[in-house]
Amino acid sequence: MAIPTDKSAHEDFHNEDDAYLAKRTLKSGSAGWLLLAGLGVSYVISGDYAGWNNGLAQGGFGGLLIATVVIAGMYLAMVLGMAEMSSALPAAGGGYTFARRALGPWGGFATGAAVLIEYAIAPAAIATFIGAYVESLHLFGITDGWWVYLAVYALFIGIHLTGAGEALKAMFVITVIALVGLVVFAVSAWDSFDAGKLTDIPADPAAVGSSSFLPFGYLGIWAAVPFAIWFFLAVEGVPLAAEEAREPEKNVPKGIIISMLVLIVTGSAVLFLATGALGAQAISTSGNPLVEALGDSSAAELVNYIGLAGLVASFFSIVYAYSRQTFALSRAGYLPTSLSVTNARKAPMLALIVPGVIGFTLSLTGKGAMLLNMAVFGAALSYVLMMISHIVLRVREPQMPRPYRTPGGILTTAFALVIACAAVIATFLVDRTAATWTLVAFAGFMAYFGLYSRHHLVANSPDEEFAALAKAEEELE
């Protein structure tokens, strides 16, 4: 189905007064490229500690390795495309802002809704992992995870309410601790590494193309894709900090590219060293793969505690991401406008609290793996729409000022688009129920927009002004 642009849609716009926008402003200049790079790493770093290893049960080491290489290529291409769009359109909407300009209100909201689904559900999945960690470490005598879910949501939403600068600095410190944990793991696991253990899963003779390297055959590569995504999921959220960054046209592209390069290094190290230390078969079902790979050692105990910091870092940062996506969509009228009101510290209160309540409710299911797959579906769908946006903007607006330009242009983002489409389909291979429920949620968002919010859009919000400017320039030409 074609997504209508401004010329074919029938949306109703209105202007709000200065007081409306004054109540919906973020604190600019809170982050330079270093904090932005730290934000990108913190979004993802929990994926190095847990979750990825389940891909070994789907594709074996060879299948997960090939899937990871392909997905890393997709993310790198996508990040380069987003770096260009964020330098040209620095607003808090991130992918929604890019798609709004390229694909009109329907395409913009579809992208924003997919991103919001990803960011609202991912913290719920991570909260269940944090709860499992706390229980396994016997911390505070807690034996029921829901207390942990409630505590982390309340604590980190509270910190975010104090302001972006303070929250980003706290995230950066936690992320550095988590990175130190990965270094400790890598050094310790090196002594136990055995290349033979990488391929110790028996080959399935019924699978086409099966071997010791690909025990589940060629289809196993595709089935491992959603787990390979966990090495990089949410790094695309860096542009959501654009309105709070210093010189966003320079620092946002720099921050997202550096964070992606760091994540390629950490993901590669974890995949090879953890699997080679414990063995693909044993680690494929582990709930704490890095610790189990180190066995009974002091390093394992240290990494176990630091692993909690990794999970906290991702939880903390994705709460930031969902609040900014909700803020941007609300300020422009796509979601109820009350969600974008900011407090005295310029933090969007209800945009932090309401998705947090929804996420906490989802976490009570305790189904972390299912929630993870739901988040991956939303992410992959948003990637498809964002890459289409880059291609459309390059073709339709070649003269748009772009302080940073994607190497390879539309060929780079076309590659990411093809892989993202395959990733959407792959989510149904792993968990059809999770993908279907996420699709239903996405349809619900689109129904809300079609029936109500498209008739109540705010023309003078920053994201809509970007699009209006483009339309005016097109008419002048």
Side-chain angles (χ1 to χ4, degrees), residues 216-307:
F216 305 108
Y218 303 128
L219 190 61
I221 300 172
W222 201 4
V225 163
F227 300 97
I229 287 176
W230 199 236
F231 280 124
F232 310 104
L233 181 70
V235 68
E236 76 279 358
V238 174
L240 292 169
E243 287 187 31
E244 294 160 288
R246 295 190 298 274
E247 297 184 277
E249 67 283 354
K250 296 179 181 178
N251 287 324
V252 172
K254 188 175 182 180
I256 193 171
I257 291 171
I258 290 174
S259 61
M260 183 62 202
L261 295 177
V262 171
L263 292 167
I264 289 175
V265 172
T266 59
S268 300
V270 165
L271 174 59
F272 275 91
L273 293 174
T275 308
L278 185 62
Q281 190 165 30
I283 207 168
S284 66
T285 58
S286 172
N288 199 346
L290 303 196
V291 174
E292 290 190 20
L294 295 180
D296 187 14
S297 66
S298 56
E301 186 175 355
L302 178 61
V303 170
N304 201 12
Y305 282 95
I306 294 180

Side-chain angles (χ1 to χ4, degrees), residues 70-71 73-75 77-78 222 225 229 380-388 391 410-426:
V70 173
I71 291 301
M74 180 200 78
Y75 268 94
M78 182 181 71
W222 201 4
V225 163
I229 287 176
L381 182 59
S382 74
Y383 302 161
V384 170
L385 294 168
M386 286 189 284
M387 294 305 94
I388 292 174
I391 294 168
I410 61 174
L411 291 178
T412 299
T413 45
F415 165 76
L417 172 61
V418 171
I419 303 303
C421 289
V424 172
I425 299 171

